[in-house]
Amino acid sequence: MHGEATSTYYIICDSETVNSSTEMEAAFKVFNKRWQWRKKQRSRKQQKGFSLLVSHSSKHRQNFYSTMVNHIEDDESLTKPLGRCSVFYYGVGHMLNDITSACWFTYLLVFLTDIGLSPSDAAVVMLSGQVADGLTTVFAGELIDRFGHFKVWHLSGSVLVGVSFSSVFGGCLPCKIIGSNSAMLQTIGYSVFAAIFNVGWAATQVSHMSMVNCITLNSTSRVVLASCRNAFTMIANLSLYAVAFVVFNVVGAGTPAAVENQYRWIAYISIFIGSCFVVVFALGTKEPRLKLEAHVKGYVRISWMYWFKKILYHQVALVYVLTRLVTNVSQAFLAFYVIDDLQMSLSSKALVPAIIFICSFVVSVLLQEIKWTSQRLKGFYTAGGLLWVLCGIGILLLPRNMNAFMYILSVFIGIANALIMVTGVGMQSVLVGRDLNGCAFVYGSLSFMDKMICGVALFILESYQTSSPELHNCSPRYSVFSLNRYALGLVPAVCALLGVIVTCSMNLQTPTLVPLEEPLLG
């Protein structure tokens, strides 16, 4: 002003602390008074070129109020509960990952041993995929926090999953090229494509999970998004088992080549189903607005040490890893248990998992109607964990001549899985809160620990598969404690119990209580 070069400074007020025009005007006066005091402390030479454009005129004050009101309205729009369509479009975005993951954990070890690989070689293939997945989650999370573009990462990962997954179950490609079927070459060939598949899978998973906190600031809607995602995970698993049930009954098996043909059909159909839902997600979900605003405003990226210093981060991480151990280990050994230990029909390795996921789907949908608080998150997780402990005891003690009770146990396993998965992921959203520039790292680092620990656990358990006793000559009236029985019953039960203990020790902040604007069951 008065011919001097001026710089304009903007006053930024928190919308949660400034609630009226009177408070805004008071904040304006305080700031102006502080500026006048600083102005007296400077010499005229220092003040030149550094004056504040402050005016009490009605025009400038009106502009200031308008800016503040817009900021408040934008914040309120982001805390409003999401509508049904927004939740649906987000929920279907992980279908390709889920249906291929179900095939990975349920049938990979069975497939590899059926075509002639030893259990230890099959475990190496799975471990290679888990390690690649774990390393990629951290790398992808860091890049997403730096540059954003959730949908680009999601689409790129989905393409990689679709291209590579058919090679995991479609036969050993290097073996066909070289013309050799040695065990070492098969192990290397399957391990390479397992690693490529899991790289794409991790990029899709981290981008999709971390997107939740940048879509909305409403805490209840964040849990609803996680619940809807879990519901479609169940649909993906059910789709896989429906496909597997048809393929196992239509396509004959008997030779390694015929087995490969069975699983090749399962892989192709699964990829097609999942890809259709990826298209729906891409068309219906916009790039999260909160992340775009964070980059435009130049928010400082949150360092890793910020999270490592929080006790809640380590508690949530431990609960999430234990939860994934429960679901992944039980899913990997379920088919072995029902066929080898209980000696049920071959169709049961599709029917029993289908019952589990039907129950999980129903519970996941019902959980979307709840107003979530920290106490409810902890309470529902505790209920699911204790239910899994009871199911584990039942699996350990179930004799072969009562194998029909496995269908009843499947119902309760499905309920328990939904309770611990929905609330476990909900705890991550509470942990992140509004720290949006570190959300991808949180989800990526937790997924890294999940993949590495699950991979090692499955490798160890599968390596001892050959030490299981021969069960066909054992009395059907008694439960023989084989590796399959321990892996399906004892390991998940212990992990669930530890998860409950850690959950009860948490100090979760109570999220904002705003119910859904359009209940999904309404």
Side-chain angles (χ1 to χ4, degrees):
M1 302 178 76
H2 300 293
E4 295 180 346
T6 61
S7 299
T8 303
Y9 290 81
Y10 296 93
I11 303 173
I12 302 175
C13 297
D14 192 333
S15 62
E16 294 181 353
T17 60
V18 180
N19 301 313
S20 66
S21 60
T22 303
E23 293 181 10
M24 283 188 286
E25 187 170 2
F28 184 87
K29 291 180 178 178
V30 170
F31 183 85
N32 189 46
K33 185 180 294 185
R34 290 179 180 177
W35 165 252
Q36 294 295 337
W37 179 84
R38 289 185 62 192
K39 186 176 180 181
K40 293 178 181 179
Q41 307 303 315
R42 296 174 180 270
S43 66
R44 180 172 299 179
K45 183 177 181 180
Q46 289 174 320
Q47 292 174 22
K48 187 175 182 180
F50 189 73
S51 61
L52 177 67
L53 186 59
V54 177
S55 173
H56 292 288
S57 66
S58 59
K59 179 180 179 180
H60 288 84
R61 187 178 290 118
Q62 182 64 35
N63 290 337
F64 171 71
Y65 291 160
S66 177
T67 301
M68 294 300 299
V69 169
N70 289 337
H71 176 71
I72 294 171
E73 288 178 350
D74 288 345
D75 191 71
E76 288 179 348
S77 68
L78 293 171
T79 57
K80 287 182 179 179
L82 295 176
R84 182 182 302 155
C85 292
S86 299
V87 175
F88 171 80
Y89 287 136
Y90 171 82
V92 302
H94 211 249
M95 279 283 288
L96 177 60
N97 264 26
D98 289 330
I99 197 169
T100 53
S101 175
C103 192
W104 170 268
F105 283 108
T106 305
Y107 295 129
L108 180 66
L109 296 178
V110 178
F111 164 69
L112 294 176
T113 52
D114 282 351
I115 63 174
L117 285 183
S118 66
S120 58
D121 289 339
V124 169
V125 175
M126 175 163 278
L127 180 62
S128 67
Q130 293 296 107
V131 171
D133 192 339
L135 295 175
T136 305
T137 52
V138 177
F139 179 72
E142 176 67 15
L143 291 181
I144 291 173
D145 276 337
R146 286 178 180 272
F147 306 109
H149 301 295
F150 291 99
K151 292 184 67 176
V152 173
W153 281 92
H154 184 278
L155 182 59
S156 302
S158 298
V159 171
L160 199 56
V161 166
V163 171
S164 61
F165 187 69
S166 59
S167 298
V168 175
F169 285 92
C172 178
L173 186 59
C175 299
K176 296 176 182 178
I177 296 175
I178 298 176
S180 173
N181 285 320
S182 66
M184 179 178 292
L185 186 58
Q186 282 186 316
T187 303
I188 294 173
Y190 284 114
S191 297
V192 169
F193 281 101
I196 295 173
F197 160 68
N198 277 278
V199 167
W201 199 97
T204 304
Q205 183 204 29
V206 174
S207 59
H208 192 259
M209 290 185 69
S210 57
M211 194 182 294
V212 169
N213 289 73
C214 295
I215 290 176
T216 179
L217 294 175
N218 182 276
S219 300
T220 297
S221 290
R222 287 177 173 179
V223 179
V224 169
L225 288 171
S227 181
C228 185
R229 178 180 181 272
N230 193 64
F232 278 100
T233 297
M234 304 307 122
I235 294 177
N237 282 269
L238 288 172
S239 302
L240 170 72
Y241 296 126
V243 170
F245 183 83
V246 173
V247 170
F248 287 143
N249 285 279
V250 173
V251 181
T255 63
V259 171
E260 286 184 2
N261 189 44
Q262 280 185 329
Y263 285 98
R264 187 182 298 113
W265 274 107
I266 292 174
Y268 288 157
I269 297 173
S270 300
I271 292 170
F272 173 77
I273 294 173
S275 298
C276 292
F277 285 98
V278 169
V279 173
V280 173
F281 166 81
L283 296 177
T285 304
K286 298 179 180 179
E287 186 70 21
R289 173 182 168 189
L290 285 170
K291 195 68 175 179
L292 292 173
E293 291 181 353
H295 281 282
V296 170
K297 296 178 180 179
Y299 291 172
V300 178
R301 188 177 61 85
I302 297 174
S303 68
W304 296 7
M305 292 306 299
Y306 170 80
W307 299 109
F308 292 152
K309 291 178 181 179
K310 298 184 72 168
I311 296 177
L312 184 61
Y313 170 83
H314 299 283
Q315 291 175 319
V316 171
L318 185 55
V319 167
Y320 180 71
V321 169
L322 290 169
T323 301
R324 297 301 298 181
L325 276 171
V326 170
T327 57
N328 291 343
V329 172
S330 62
Q331 190 172 3
F333 284 89
L334 182 61
F336 289 113
Y337 176 72
V338 298
I339 298 299
D340 296 338
D341 289 62
L342 299 183
Q343 295 186 10
M344 300 173 73
S345 62
L346 288 177
S347 60
S348 65
K349 65 182 180 181
L351 186 58
V352 171
I355 295 174
I356 292 175
F357 289 108
I358 287 173
C359 296
S360 291
F361 169 74
V362 173
V363 174
S364 296
V365 172
L366 293 175
L367 290 176
Q368 296 177 38
E369 311 305 315
I370 295 175
K371 299 178 183 179
W372 287 99
T373 66
S374 59
Q375 293 304 314
R376 286 180 178 175
L377 282 174
K378 294 167 66 175
F380 277 85
Y381 186 93
T382 300
L386 294 178
L387 186 57
W388 233 116
V389 172
L390 296 176
C391 291
I393 295 173
I395 290 169
L396 284 172
L397 301 178
L398 185 64
R400 191 191 310 162
N401 64 347
M402 298 178 65
N403 56 18
F405 280 93
M406 187 61 202
Y407 295 111
I408 299 176
L409 282 175
S410 300
V411 173
F412 293 104
I413 291 174
I415 295 172
N417 282 347
L419 290 175
I420 61 177
M421 278 303 301
V422 170
T423 53
V425 175
M427 292 176 192
Q428 296 180 49
S429 295
V430 175
L431 168 65
V432 171
R434 297 198 176 197
D435 297 326
L436 304 181
N437 275 17
C439 60
F441 168 75
V442 171
Y443 289 101
S445 60
L446 266 57
S447 184
F448 167 76
M449 289 183 276
D450 150 40
K451 298 303 184 297
M452 299 300 290
I453 294 175
C454 285
V456 172
L458 290 172
F459 175 78
I460 294 173
L461 291 171
E462 183 63 16
S463 296
Y464 285 99
Q465 183 78 4
T466 53
S467 65
S468 297
E470 184 63 41
L471 303 175
H472 294 282
N473 298 323
C474 298
S475 173
R477 293 180 297 174
Y478 303 100
S479 54
V480 179
F481 289 90
S482 65
L483 176 82
N484 297 330
R485 197 178 288 267
Y486 281 122
L488 183 63
L490 183 61
V491 174
V494 171
C495 292
L497 182 59
L498 292 175
V500 169
I501 294 172
V502 177
T503 297
C504 292
S505 68
M506 284 185 186
N507 183 22
L508 289 176
Q509 296 179 354
T510 302
T512 305
L513 298 178
V514 184
L516 271 180
E517 190 174 50
E518 299 174 281
L520 297 183
L521 297 181

